[in-house]
Amino acid sequence: MSGEYRSRAERKQATKQRKQKKGKAKKGASWMKTIAMAILFVIVLAVVGGAATFAYFIKDAPPLDEAKIKDPLSSTLFDMNGKKVAELGGYKRTYVSYKEVPKVLEKAVLAAEDARFYEHHGIDIVRLAGAALANIKEGFGAEGGSTITQQVVKMTFLSPKKTLERKAQEAWLALQLEQKYSKQEILEMYLNKIYYSDGIYGVARAAEYYFGKTNLKDLTLPEAALLAGMPQAPNRYNPFDHPEAAKTRRDTVLTLMARHGFISQDEAEKAKQVPIQSMLVKQRKKQSGVPYDAFIEEVIKEVTDKANVNVFEDGLKIYTTLDQNAQSYVENLLNSNRYFTNKKDLQSGIAVIDTKTGAIRALGGGRHRDQVEFGFNYAIKPVGQPGSTIKPILDYGPAIEYLKWSTAHILVDEPYAYSDGTPIRNASNRYAGEVTMREALTWSYNIPALKTFQAVGKERAMEFANRLGMGFTEVYEPFAIGGVSHYVSPLQMAGAYTAFGNNGIYTKPYAVTKIVFPDGTEMDLRPKPKRVMHDYTAYMITDMLKSVIRSGTGQSAYVPGLEMAGKTGTTNYGEDGRKFGLSKDDVPDSWIIGYTPNYTTAVWVGFSKKSETASLTDREQRIPKLLLKDIMSHIDDGSGKFQQPSSVVKLPIKKGTNPPKLAGKYTPENEIIYELFIRGTEPTETAKDEPKELPMVTGLTASYDQAANTISVSWSYSEQTDDTVFEVHMKDSQGHVQTAVTKELAVSISNPTPGASYTIAVYAKEGERMSKPAITSIQIPGGEPNEGTPTTPGDGSNNSGNGNNGQGNGQGQGNGSNEDENNGNNGTSENGGNDENEDHSDNPSGQSNGGTNSDQPSGDTGGSSSPSAPSTPSNKGSGTTNGSAR
């Protein structure tokens, strides 16, 4: 019974479970069907929407104009004012057909650019999917999926701007191009359009320019790989300028060729061992028909690097920063013999930039380039080590930025060595002892520069320099004085200095503001400005560099009326000089970088090649300064000032104090220097100086005019300022003292007492400072005594007598007067009724010991009639005298 029950119960339960499962299965199938329908709907919607969007984008696509494919369009360049400068295009080129292209070159190009070129119909879906995935991960535009066909379309018809609209038009036109032309014809178009840097277009011309080969069939595997890799970034992979980068790119192409089966792995590895330099011929110069080609070369580089277009064929309107007046002046100056000597291989490069914007105004690419097109450009290419011009960038700028040093910070210029024990010396082989940071920079001392670099630390020094566009990958102690491991260009150095003149804002130098494509679209190529240092760092460096131009190593470049800062620099051969029969102290490079609020100019003078004559004389080392002065005088109108920011405090400092102390009330003017401090770090202690005695007046004379019954007193004073006054004390033989104060160099005493003798003392005073007295005496012809009155002449006249002015010693009776000549020497006397203490009391009011007030005549005191000095402030026992005059 129980077993049967269990079976029945189990059967019932099983039935119930089957029904539930069946219901769930039906319900699950229903949901799956719904989801599938939804996905299908979304796909259909996406396809329809995508098709509609694609149709919308391609409706404005330019037509597939065969004339544009066959006949390139020239580009027009405009200067900073929108005036047409030049037209680029229509130059001769070596056109090659597909039959002339060797298989090794074709395989290299396909491996580098489009390995599935012969398998797709203009658009490579596989490659496009990979690019789309990269764009999803890294953002739109991270990677391109363009085929060779699409690149031909882009170079011919479209702007290089990465937008969905352009990509859609590119794909549409690529499909049309594939329908009209064979694969071989499209590859032929591509190989004849590619830009290869240095103004070279087309693979045939590139093979001749870089390898000296006029027949493409002669290309080797490593040469073909180099040419195939360059179009990705022509200027970056230029083997003349960047051999290491060119080798890396070439080897990448060789790896791709092996991966796609075009060559074996052994062939790839063997080709990688070929040095880049061994493949190249000497860089050649070409005949020029382009104005301002040094500037235009920079334009071409910027447009190709930033926009990846062909300026000679793409029909562009290129708007530049060129100042034609400045450019012409710089070129004429370089080609003249005004400053240059006739020394073999002597060359120069100049870069002129707008200080505020970074816009390049002129580039002097070298001397005698008028018959050369796109030769070596000494303005934009690395030419030499920077010498001491690096000191604001690697040493003193970082010291202010990170350590908050003031311009009064003391450094010791003394015998010193690098950390490895190698001695370092100044150019003069002398040491200046304790100097301020301003003095160290003004006179370009090497030892304080190294000590500053060490205090900052190489990591922070490199960080600061790289924010100014220096591009260092490593720095070492010799960098502190310009011994860098790679060369720099005038354009690079000028760009770095603009940040000092622009309140700490750096903009990478640029020659192109925008380009306009044939379809009317525009591309803005101006770089964005960046703050790279505090405003106090920029201003304090600038203020110190003004001292370099005004009173330091750059004085020859000083232009009156211009607020100009700058830094000079030279380099030495060192041990390398022996290779050319020169000494280690011979100079191959001389620099100056100078700037105003309007312009920054870098000038380099050196040699196109090193040889036994490639050493600059002292005169030739001055050429950059003279060029800078000439250029700045021509282009800068003197407007604008470097504005001191609120973060900087300028204070008077007692010279020689360490740490700096504020100048005190009595600190002599010649011991006060004015230095800059970051607000909040300024000194609070004041130097304790006592007031110093002023210099005495000279040439004191007194003469009597009997007709006018007046005594005329006059003197000279070379140290007179607006604050200088003169106290005149007149004492008669009876001890009466009269005082007058004047700013003039003379007084007139009316109605003197007949027969009286007068002693006259004159003091110079400035506030609480006073000089010792200059003293003279005069005897009035006989008669009854009658007090005279000193007055200042209304016209400031100066009546001079004769006499010998000297300081008495306070001992003995002075000599009497001579009626014909005033050559007597009077001294203060201890005899005759008025003793020394009376004559030289510490009474600035001029009151005598007899109780007489110097401002009012006194009665008869019974004093001696012998002449003696009137009452004088704090000058006991001394007196200067003239012979008395009659």
Side-chain angles (χ1 to χ4, degrees), residues 787-803:
E787 188 71 45
T789 303
T791 61
T792 58
D795 61 356
S797 61
N798 194 350
N799 299 319
S800 60
N802 296 318

Side-chain angles (χ1 to χ4, degrees), residues 77-286:
L77 275 64
F78 302 90
D79 68 6
M80 59 184 288
N81 298 315
K83 184 177 179 181
K84 181 178 176 180
V85 175
E87 192 168 347
L88 301 179
Y91 292 96
K92 292 181 180 179
R93 63 183 64 226
T94 306
Y95 195 93
V96 292
S97 67
Y98 175 78
K99 292 179 180 180
E100 296 173 278
V101 178
K103 286 299 179 183
V104 67
L105 178 60
E106 180 178 0
K107 290 176 181 179
V109 171
L110 295 182
E113 297 293 337
D114 191 355
R116 292 164 44 83
F117 176 68
Y118 287 103
E119 300 171 22
H120 60 68
H121 298 287
I123 303 172
D124 189 347
I125 302 300
V126 175
R127 187 176 181 184
L128 195 60
L133 184 61
N135 290 332
I136 291 171
K137 290 180 179 179
E138 302 175 30
F140 182 73
E143 181 176 320
S146 296
T147 63
I148 286 178
T149 309
Q150 287 175 282
Q151 291 185 55
V152 170
V153 166
K154 181 177 66 176
M155 287 189 289
T156 307
F157 304 105
L158 303 173
S159 74
K161 212 167 186 180
K162 288 189 175 182
T163 64
L164 288 173
E165 181 179 9
R166 197 218 72 187
K167 295 299 290 184
Q169 293 178 354
E170 180 181 294
W172 173 249
L173 291 174
L175 292 172
Q176 292 186 62
L177 192 68
E178 288 260 349
Q179 290 178 356
K180 297 188 71 171
Y181 298 95
S182 68
K183 288 288 187 179
Q184 290 76 15
E185 288 175 316
I186 293 172
L187 185 60
E188 180 179 308
M189 295 174 193
Y190 175 80
L191 292 174
N192 283 287
K193 282 181 176 293
I194 305 172
Y195 178 61
Y196 281 97
S197 188
D198 287 355
I200 303 299
Y201 286 87
V203 69
R205 184 62 65 89
E208 181 181 358
Y209 180 70
Y210 291 111
F211 311 128
K213 295 185 176 180
T214 56
N215 189 339
L216 293 181
K217 303 287 186 183
D218 296 331
L219 287 175
T220 64
L221 174 58
E223 291 170 347
L226 178 59
L227 293 179
M230 283 187 66
Q232 186 183 74
N235 296 323
R236 191 190 315 160
Y237 299 133
N238 184 318
F240 287 134
D241 299 335
H242 308 288
E244 293 180 2
K247 182 183 186 305
T248 299
R249 178 60 180 160
R250 181 202 67 182
D251 293 350
T252 298
V253 174
L254 290 168
T255 298
L256 290 172
M257 291 180 73
R259 182 182 302 167
H260 292 296
F262 293 134
I263 59 175
S264 68
Q265 190 64 42
D266 288 342
E267 287 176 309
E269 293 303 321
K270 184 178 180 181
K272 289 179 183 179
Q273 301 308 311
V274 178
I276 289 292
Q277 286 82 356
S278 69
M279 298 162 52
L280 303 175
V281 296
K282 184 179 179 180
Q283 192 172 15
R284 290 182 301 148
K285 299 177 180 180
K286 297 167 286 183

Side-chain angles (χ1 to χ4, degrees), residues 393-439:
I393 297 172
L394 271 178
D395 308 331
Y396 300 112
I400 298 172
E401 182 76 5
Y402 300 119
L403 306 180
K404 296 191 174 181
W405 284 5
S406 72
T407 61
H409 184 86
I410 297 295
L411 295 153
V412 183
D413 184 31
E414 60 188 348
Y416 199 65
Y418 293 105
S419 297
D420 65 0
T422 304
I424 178 176
R425 60 185 177 84
N426 293 318
S428 63
N429 285 319
R430 294 190 295 269
Y431 306 100
E434 287 193 347
V435 293
T436 63
M437 181 166 65
R438 181 186 297 275
E439 291 172 312

Side-chain angles (χ1 to χ4, degrees), residues 478-526:
F479 284 39
I481 61 172
V484 303
S485 58
H486 66 271
Y487 287 177
V488 297
S489 71
L491 182 60
Q492 184 181 18
M493 294 302 294
Y497 271 66
T498 58
F500 295 128
N502 193 31
N503 203 35
I505 305 297
Y506 172 76
T507 304
K508 184 178 180 181
Y510 63 98
V512 181
T513 57
K514 69 175 182 179
I515 55 178
V516 180
F517 297 93
D519 61 2
T521 60
E522 297 184 3
M523 180 181 289
D524 190 335
L525 297 189
R526 292 172 297 181

Side-chain angles (χ1 to χ4, degrees), residues 394 453 458 474-480 483 485:
L394 271 178
F453 177 86
K458 64 181 183 179
E474 55 187 4
V475 297
Y476 301 103
E477 288 185 349
F479 284 39
S485 58

Side-chain angles (χ1 to χ4, degrees), residues 206-361:
E208 181 181 358
Y209 180 70
Y210 291 111
F211 311 128
K213 295 185 176 180
T214 56
N215 189 339
L216 293 181
K217 303 287 186 183
D218 296 331
L219 287 175
T220 64
L221 174 58
E223 291 170 347
L226 178 59
L227 293 179
M230 283 187 66
Q232 186 183 74
N235 296 323
R236 191 190 315 160
Y237 299 133
N238 184 318
F240 287 134
D241 299 335
H242 308 288
E244 293 180 2
K247 182 183 186 305
T248 299
R249 178 60 180 160
R250 181 202 67 182
D251 293 350
T252 298
V253 174
L254 290 168
T255 298
L256 290 172
M257 291 180 73
R259 182 182 302 167
H260 292 296
F262 293 134
I263 59 175
S264 68
Q265 190 64 42
D266 288 342
E267 287 176 309
E269 293 303 321
K270 184 178 180 181
K272 289 179 183 179
Q273 301 308 311
V274 178
I276 289 292
Q277 286 82 356
S278 69
M279 298 162 52
L280 303 175
V281 296
K282 184 179 179 180
Q283 192 172 15
R284 290 182 301 148
K285 299 177 180 180
K286 297 167 286 183
Q287 293 302 307
S288 174
V290 181
Y292 314 138
D293 67 312
F295 187 94
I296 290 177
E297 182 176 353
E298 175 64 20
V299 170
I300 294 170
K301 283 184 179 290
E302 289 187 25
V303 172
T304 53
D305 283 347
K306 296 179 181 180
N308 193 25
V309 293
N310 184 335
V311 296
F312 291 95
E313 297 187 358
D314 289 352
L316 308 171
K317 292 181 179 178
I318 304 173
Y319 293 86
T320 76
T321 61
L322 175 67
D323 181 338
Q324 292 197 62
N325 175 54
Q327 181 69 33
S328 296
Y329 193 81
V330 166
E331 289 184 1
N332 291 336
L333 199 59
L334 284 175
N335 291 327
S336 74
N337 293 320
R338 184 171 181 181
Y339 303 118
F340 293 95
T341 64
N342 292 324
K343 185 172 286 186
K344 179 184 176 183
D345 301 323
L346 186 63
Q347 267 293 351
S348 179
I350 298 173
V352 181
I353 304 177
D354 187 300
T355 302
K356 297 182 179 67
T357 67
I360 303 170
R361 298 304 182 200

